[in-house]
Amino acid sequence: MVKPRLYITAADLISPAGWGPHVHLDGLLSDRCFLQNEGGFVQGRLPAKVREVLEQSAAEKTLKHQDPLTRLAVLLVRSLAEKSRVAPEFGVIFGSSRGPTHLLESSIIDHHQGKRLPPLTSPTSTASSLPAAVARELGLEGPSLSVSAACSTGLHAVIQAAGSVQMGLAKGMVAGGAEYSNTPYVLEMLQAAKVYADAEGCEYPCRPGAEDRSGMVLSEGAAALVIDSDPWFPPLGELVGWGAATEKSTLTGISADGAVLVKAMQNAMDVAGLKPEDVDLVVGHGAGTKKGDASELAAYRQMFSHDVPIVFHKWMFGHMLGASACASLILGMHHLIQGLVPPHPYRGFGEPERNERRLPQQRHLLVTALGFGGNAAAVIVKNPALSQV
């Protein structure tokens, strides 16, 4: 059996920075940070216009019982379907780290107060409600399933979607992640885990890779893309490599040398038939935590002997947990095509990362992600200009 080639034909994302890749690219190049202080925490909230559309969607017959997380994902894939062919024989893999948080929390409160739960509480509060709603919205008849791997969920969704197409389960897949869990309970949980940023009044509360970083910042958002084995028009990129690994580590992190990330990256390169020197840009996980970033940077030092540019995005819109890695992949494809490395404005004067840079070559993009419990994932995308479709 000849395995089909995999192309990313469309992509879209929503974050505190706004809706659409180009809004995010403009923000990255203009040094804008969209994080804010609210409820005693620095956090990333969706823009008012997006929140308004999200609230209005609750009046729709097919969405009125759904958690805001699921409604957010449905709104995103509606626009995604306008950008690319999404055929009935396609499937969907859509994930989240926390799941339908608002519905779960409110249902538990109602239960403890002795209130009678609505009949649809069970099907709308399960993890599978997310991809099921996406499949119904797009009329998809292929596989429909959820994936959750903490903060690397978005990349795992892409990897599992790629495998589904190559195994012949579907002609194409919609893959992505969403997160809408900025509740007091979740925020306090992350603070208790000692991974949350302590940066009140700071212009850039989340500072991945910087010496003075203090932690992550929770954010809301969604990101998704279409993987097609037979695209009808020029793709955004060709998916050529993927890898994932897990190590025995702490409940919240990975080992100090980042060995699990090295393994995931090497797996991706083996699948793609590439060497480290073939990678021209890395879009990293970069949560902004002290230990997590240190482990990640240690892994890059082991993997790359050349000075490969490394980009982090969470300084601008925070950590969208299950959606972040897919968002990084989407923006990374644009960086590769444009040959532009966006600046990291929180870095010190004289540091090369502080300023915008040009890519010497524009061949391959490597995107990485790390998740609680010692899991790592990596994906490699080839510049579509080098692919013969």
Side-chain angles (χ1 to χ4, degrees):
M1 176 182 176
V2 178
K3 293 182 178 180
R5 294 170 69 177
L6 305 174
Y7 301 95
I8 299 172
T9 57
D12 206 354
L13 73 155
I14 301 172
S15 86
W19 193 328
H22 294 292
V23 171
H24 290 75
L25 294 170
D26 289 344
L28 288 168
L29 294 175
S30 60
D31 299 349
R32 293 189 64 191
C33 176
F34 295 88
L35 305 177
Q36 58 188 340
N37 288 299
E38 185 175 326
F41 289 90
V42 178
Q43 54 184 296
R45 304 301 302 272
L46 294 179
K49 290 184 178 179
V50 176
R51 296 175 72 88
E52 182 179 351
V53 174
L54 184 61
E55 291 173 5
Q56 291 172 350
S57 70
E60 297 184 27
K61 183 178 180 180
T62 59
L63 296 177
K64 64 180 180 179
H65 299 293
Q66 298 285 3
D67 187 85
L69 168 80
T70 304
R71 289 190 275 116
L72 179 63
V74 168
L75 291 176
L76 180 69
V77 299
R78 281 180 183 172
S79 69
L80 187 66
E82 296 175 356
K83 301 178 180 181
S84 174
R85 175 185 74 138
V86 181
E89 61 268 25
F90 281 25
V92 56
I93 298 182
F94 224 100
S96 174
S97 177
R98 305 299 311 176
T101 308
H102 291 262
L103 184 56
L104 282 169
E105 290 187 12
S106 63
S107 297
I108 291 172
I109 291 172
D110 288 346
H111 171 70
H112 285 298
Q113 291 179 347
K115 296 180 181 179
R116 186 174 182 178
L117 298 180
L120 294 178
T121 301
S122 178
T124 56
S125 64
T126 61
S128 63
S129 63
L130 181 56
V134 170
R136 284 195 301 272
E137 174 67 27
L138 300 180
L140 304 182
E141 300 172 359
S144 169
L145 63 149
S146 176
V147 60
S148 183
C151 306
S152 61
T153 293
L155 277 198
H156 278 281
V158 172
I159 292 170
Q160 296 301 320
S164 296
V165 176
Q166 291 209 328
M167 287 189 295
L169 297 176
K171 296 290 186 181
M173 296 289 290
V174 175
E179 212 69 47
Y180 198 79
S181 59
N182 286 34
T183 67
Y185 176 69
V186 174
L187 287 162
E188 288 181 23
M189 267 199 302
L190 292 171
Q191 188 177 61
K194 301 185 186 304
V195 296
Y196 213 81
D198 180 18
E200 186 174 352
C202 180
E203 184 178 6
Y204 299 103
C206 182
R207 301 182 293 279
E211 290 295 328
D212 63 346
R213 63 187 182 275
S214 64
M216 64 163 285
V217 175
L218 183 65
S219 188
E220 304 165 336
L225 49 82
V226 178
I227 297 175
D228 197 338
S229 58
D230 185 23
W232 292 9
F233 42 80
L236 298 173
E238 181 179 0
L239 190 58
V240 296
W242 46 86
T246 308
E247 67 176 0
K248 183 179 179 181
S249 185
T250 67
L251 291 175
T252 58
I254 65 173
S255 58
D257 61 359
V260 68
L261 180 55
V262 173
K263 185 175 182 179
M265 291 189 291
Q266 188 60 60
N267 288 345
M269 290 183 195
D270 290 344
V271 171
L274 299 176
K275 297 179 180 179
E277 54 266 31
D278 297 318
V279 173
D280 302 307
L281 176 65
V282 174
V283 175
H285 180 70
T289 62
K290 294 180 179 180
K291 292 183 178 180
D293 283 15
S295 298
E296 183 179 355
L297 294 172
Y300 297 143
R301 287 192 292 269
Q302 293 179 62
M303 179 58 63
F304 299 104
S305 58
H306 65 300
D307 186 21
V308 59
I310 300 172
V311 173
F312 299 120
H313 293 137
K314 293 182 179 67
W315 65 265
M316 184 178 79
F317 51 68
H319 197 341
M320 300 184 292
L321 303 184
S324 280
C326 192
S328 290
L329 172 56
I330 293 168
L331 295 174
M333 289 190 295
H334 286 276
H335 300 332
L336 184 68
I337 292 171
Q338 296 172 359
L340 195 61
V341 182
H344 297 83
Y346 55 88
R347 300 301 293 264
F349 287 103
E351 295 185 70
E353 294 85 359
R354 183 181 178 89
N355 301 310
E356 179 182 309
R357 292 168 288 164
R358 298 293 308 182
L359 286 176
Q361 297 190 78
Q362 298 166 245
R363 299 167 300 170
H364 299 102
L365 161 73
L366 171 68
V367 183
T368 63
L370 300 168
F372 275 176
N375 85 74
V379 162
I380 298 176
V381 175
K382 185 177 182 180
N383 191 327
L386 304 178
S387 297
Q388 293 183 350
V389 180

